[in-house]
């Protein structure tokens, strides 16, 4: 699709704001070729250029709250992440992780010459005009003119700020003036829509040491000249009926109009990352910062994990430690397991900085509610990783929480810097034996009250103990959320049964020794999976009919008793036939 | 005890509520139904406010019926810091008064367009909008050069004054009258700053602001 106006040259990239316009914790409202843009800078400095509407009810995101890491729509509180514009939280569905497909429209961004540039056409090379970089550059105050771009370009040819400037060249809505003795000037016309444009200027070669010509004097001189020009052009053109440049409606992209391509069965690893940094994050804990080879990483919501495909062929799941808005890399914490089956040993001993790894996209089967009056996070050892992501989120949103962290010694506490940043909400419990740990858990979990939620992650026996104690203390099961590292149970694979896939209109036999997941994939039905041992929750399926035999550690007792869901990687059927919503 | 005779949707009344809030003053509200009841034209209200203007402020034995007069009075009487109306600084007093004048011009342009749209007031809305845009252009230029000089507020002080409170309502609500602020980026940044003033209260049609930047932990 081309988005050029009739009679205008076809440069794809245009300035839409000056860098100084995009201050922290603000959303700049921009416009280019009839399309409104929300332009905002995250606290890490990254500038986002997005379509100016919330996906939910179309409210302008230029009135959203920029909290430094995300934009929060003012209407129903949907949150969109820095860089990718993926929705990270929907307050009306507090228990659910928003699907990755809920993603606002983003436009490419380049910040250069004191201006923010974008293009409405994806995959266009950066055809930014190169501005002279001799001396220092000084962006002028932008002036909006209610006239078509062509008229404004015409008027700018006789731009008369001072006698020193001489028009040197003109192309693509750009006029370059040389200064005979003073600074040169580039004037750019940003076509906002058919009847409005913005004139942006950059002075180059400004001599900051010259006391006679101060920055402010120059800015005021050119502002007066541009105001004169605007008055002249607007009176010549006369009042214009706005809105005759409705943005062209794009065709539905092919990838959405067609059936998705058949994916290969098995675990997918669509991301390629480079180990940007590897460090000791605590005793026996290696920290990894993984940066994308190209583009942006999909956002990891708090509680999410990724599959890491290792050079030795192993695939392991690790929780992402990232705080909200920290989207330029994934941070993982990997504990060296003494009885490693190849995962942690490989990451500790073989993988080095600079290595490239394949990852799955992050999945969130351990989502964090943000509607609790108080949230308890209870971590054992390396189980701190997802809870650290949650604690950082709750802290950023100013929500009441405590992170209880059990470890062997102070030195075993991982991610000291992040813990320190969380301040008083972190309670460290070091060197406790089983009995003391149980007693401490009893103290922590004693305060059940409505409006509280608890999240547990750690070694199996600790989670078991905490869940039992929580039940004794009166916590309803739906308020006790947990994630196991692995499924320690012996899996019985001896039964055989039939599975009907209701959506796919298929019946498959599951013989002894095969899992439902394997049988379903063999029949050609795509099914996501991750840990494949009944711990992570990725391969969940809804049960329509039949009696599942649960062998996972993902579902809680109530969910297991209801018989409405099954983990297809380990669980089986007690009835001869199981009907699944697949 | 301070009493404010108030109408929720009036931007003049909102100026008074803002001033009372940032000064941390307790007051009681009396609702006057401007629309549709036209209660401001009743005999009892005309006695309070002969020009039938809202809001009216009563403090002890004083009764005032003009929004800008109320701001000046509240700051002069109740602001111990002396910053909201810097009486000792002649330049600032002049500047404050100048911007109070602009707030009236906004009321008769952006404000009139808003009343036209929301309460069906009869007005030449095209002329009102054009006038509002002229004022906003001036305001944007003033605020942009202010940022260049390291100034965040309307007056040449390192703190807000009643001028900011007086100009804010009709600017922040202009879009209800069909006056977009897309072309006034410095004005948009200034409205963010006003929303972060300690004690700021929102009103219907206005969202509260987010918090200011904090260091980025790594």
């Amino acid at each position: 699709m081309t988005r050029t106006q009739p009679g205008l040259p076809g440069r794809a990239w245009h300035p839409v704001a000056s860098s100084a316009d995009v201050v922290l914790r603000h959303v700049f409202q921009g416009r280019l070729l009839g399309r409104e843009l929300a332009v905002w800078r995250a606290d890490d400095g990254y500038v986002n250029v997005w379509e100016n509407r919330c996906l939910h009810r179309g409210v302008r995101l230029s009135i959203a709250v920029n909290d430094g890491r995300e934009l929060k729509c003012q209407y129903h509180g949907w949150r969109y992440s820095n860089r990718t514009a993926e929705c990270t939280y929907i307050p009306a569905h507090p228990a659910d992780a928003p699907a990755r497909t809920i993603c606002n429209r983003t436009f490419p961004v380049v910040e250069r010459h004191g201006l923010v540039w974008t293009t409405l056409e994806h995959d266009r090379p950066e055809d930014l005009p190169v501005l002279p970089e001799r001396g220092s550059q000084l962006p002028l105050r932008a002036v909006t003119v209610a006239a078509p771009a062509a008229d404004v370009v015409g008027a700018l040819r006789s731009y008369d700020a001072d006698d020193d400037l001489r028009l040197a060249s003109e192309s693509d809505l750009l006029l370059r003036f040389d200064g005979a003795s003073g600074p040169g000037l580039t004037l750019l016309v940003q076509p906002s829509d058919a009847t409005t444009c913005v004139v942006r200027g950059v002075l180059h070669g400004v001599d900051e040491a010259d006391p006679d010509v101060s920055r402010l004097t120059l800015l005021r001189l050119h502002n007066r000249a541009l105001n004169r020009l605007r008055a002249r052009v607007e009176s010549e053109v006369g009042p214009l009926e706005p809105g005759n440049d409705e943005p062209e409606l794009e065709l539905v992209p092919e990838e959405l109009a067609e059936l998705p391509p058949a994916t290969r069965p098995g675990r997918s690893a669509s991301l390629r990352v480079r180990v940007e940094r590897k460090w000791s994050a605590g005793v026996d804990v290696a920290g990894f910062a993984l940066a994308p080879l190209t583009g942006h990483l999909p956002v990891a919501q708090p509680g999410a994990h990724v599959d890491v495909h290792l050079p030795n062929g192993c695939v392991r799941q690790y929780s992402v430690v990232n705080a909200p808005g920290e989207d330029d890399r994934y941070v993982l914490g990997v504990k060296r397991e003494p009885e490693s089956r190849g995962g942690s040993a490989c990451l500790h001993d073989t993988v080095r900085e600079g290595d490239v790894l394949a990852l799955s996209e992050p999945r969130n089967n351990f989502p964090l509610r943000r509607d609790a009056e108080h949230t308890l996070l209870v971590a054992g050892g390396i189980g701190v990783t997802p809870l650290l992501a949650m604690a950082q989120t709750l802290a950023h949103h100013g929500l009441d929480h405590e992170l209880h962290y059990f470890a062997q010694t102070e030195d075993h506490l991982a991610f000291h810097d992040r813990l320190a940043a969380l301040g008083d909400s972190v309670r460290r419990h070091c060197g406790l034996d089983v009995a003391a740990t149980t007693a401490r858990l009893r103290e922590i979990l004693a305060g059940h009250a409505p409006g509280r939620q608890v999240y547990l992650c750690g070694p199996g026996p600790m989670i078991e103990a905490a869940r039992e104690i929580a039940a004794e203390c009166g916590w309803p099961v739906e308020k006790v959320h947990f994630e196991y590292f692995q499924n320690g149970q012996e899996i019985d694979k001896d039964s055989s049964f039939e599975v009907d896939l209701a959506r796919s209109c298929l019946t498959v036999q599951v013989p002894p020794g095969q899992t439902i997941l394997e049988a379903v994939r063999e029949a050609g039905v795509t099914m996501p999976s991750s840990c494949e041992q009944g711990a992570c929750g990725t391969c969940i399926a809804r049960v329509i009919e039949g009696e599942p035999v649960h062998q996972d550690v993902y579902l809680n007792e109530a969910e297991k008793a209801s018989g409405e869901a099954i983990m297809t990687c380990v669980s089986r059927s007690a009835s001869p036939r199981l009907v699944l919503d697949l | 005890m301070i009493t404010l005779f108030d109408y929720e949707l009036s931007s003049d009344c909102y100026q008074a509520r803002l001033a009372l809030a940032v000064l941390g003053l307790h007051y009681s509200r009396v609702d006057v139904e401007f629309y549709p009841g036209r209660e401001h034209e009743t005999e009892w209200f005309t006695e309070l406010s002969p020009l039938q203007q809202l809001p009216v402020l009563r403090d002890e034995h004083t009764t005032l019926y003009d929004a800008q007069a109320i701001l000046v009075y509240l700051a002069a009487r109740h602001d111990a810091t002396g910053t909201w109306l810097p009486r000792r600084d002649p330049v600032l007093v002049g500047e404050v008064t100048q911007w109070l004048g602009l707030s009236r011009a906004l009321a008769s342009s952006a404000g009139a367009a808003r009343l036209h749209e929301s309460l069906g007031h009869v007005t030449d809305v095209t002329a009102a909008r054009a006038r509002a845009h002229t004022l906003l252009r001036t305001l944007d230029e003033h605020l942009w050069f202010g940022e260049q000089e390291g100034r965040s507020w309307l007056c040449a002080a390192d703190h807000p004054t009643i001028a900011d409170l007086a100009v804010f309502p009709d600017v922040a609500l202009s879009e209800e009258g069909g006056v977009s602020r897309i072309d006034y980026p410095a004005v948009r940044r200034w409205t963010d700053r006003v929303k972060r003033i300690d004690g700021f209260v929102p009103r219907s049609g206005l969202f509260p602001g987010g918090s200011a930047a904090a260091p980025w932990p790594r």
Side-chain angles (χ1 to χ4, degrees), chain B residues 13 16 21 29 55 57 73 89 94 97 102 104-105 108 118 138 150 161 163-164 170 195 199 201 208 214:
Chain B
C13 292
R29 274 183 75 246
L57 184 100
Y73 167 79
D89 185 330
T97 313
L102 184 105
R104 286 179 197 242
S108 62
S118 57
T138 309
T161 62
D164 298 284
D170 274 314
K195 288 180 180 183
V201 284

Side-chain angles (χ1 to χ4, degrees), chain A residues 196-245:
Chain A
T196 319
C197 57
V198 179
V199 182
R200 299 185 181 276
V202 180
L203 284 170
H204 18 81
V206 178
D207 184 359
E208 304 236 353
D210 187 348
D212 293 338
V213 196
S214 81
R215 229 176 100 259
L216 270 170
T217 314
L218 282 172
L219 292 174
R220 289 199 187 276
L221 172 81
H222 287 282
N223 189 58
R224 272 195 302 276
L226 286 174
N227 279 347
R228 279 199 301 275
L229 181 125
R230 170 171 70 189
R232 199 178 79 223
V233 177
E234 286 184 354
S235 75
E236 280 168 15
V237 171
L240 295 162
E241 278 302 311
N244 54 355
D245 184 37

Side-chain angles (χ1 to χ4, degrees), chain B residues 5 10 23 32 37 43-44 55 88 126 131 152 159 180 185 191 213:
Chain B
F5 295 81
S10 145
L23 291 170
V32 180
E43 202 177 325
W44 76 265
R88 300 226 174 108
T126 311
R131 176 74 180 140
S152 301
H159 53 76
S180 165
T191 59

Side-chain angles (χ1 to χ4, degrees), chain A residues 21 25-29 31 43-44 62-63 69 74 141 144 215-216 220 223 227 230 234 325 329, chain B residues 137 140-141 144-145 148-149 182-183 185 188-189 192 196 207-208 210-214 216-218:
Chain A
D21 280 330
R25 305 296 176 108
H26 174 75
V27 189
F28 176 89
Q29 186 180 10
R31 195 170 29 169
D43 283 2
D44 66 354
S62 52
I63 60 164
R69 294 150 186 260
Q74 293 269 27
R141 173 165 182 263
T144 305
R215 229 176 100 259
L216 270 170
R220 289 199 187 276
N223 189 58
N227 279 347
R230 170 171 70 189
E234 286 184 354
R329 65 230 150 92
Chain B
R137 276 182 175 182
D140 189 73
E141 190 167 309
W144 192 89
F145 279 100
Q148 296 299 314
E149 292 163 16
I182 191 169
D183 294 324
R188 295 188 74 254
R189 289 191 288 275
D192 273 15
R196 290 186 187 128
F207 289 111
S211 60
W216 179 256
R218 272 287 149 112

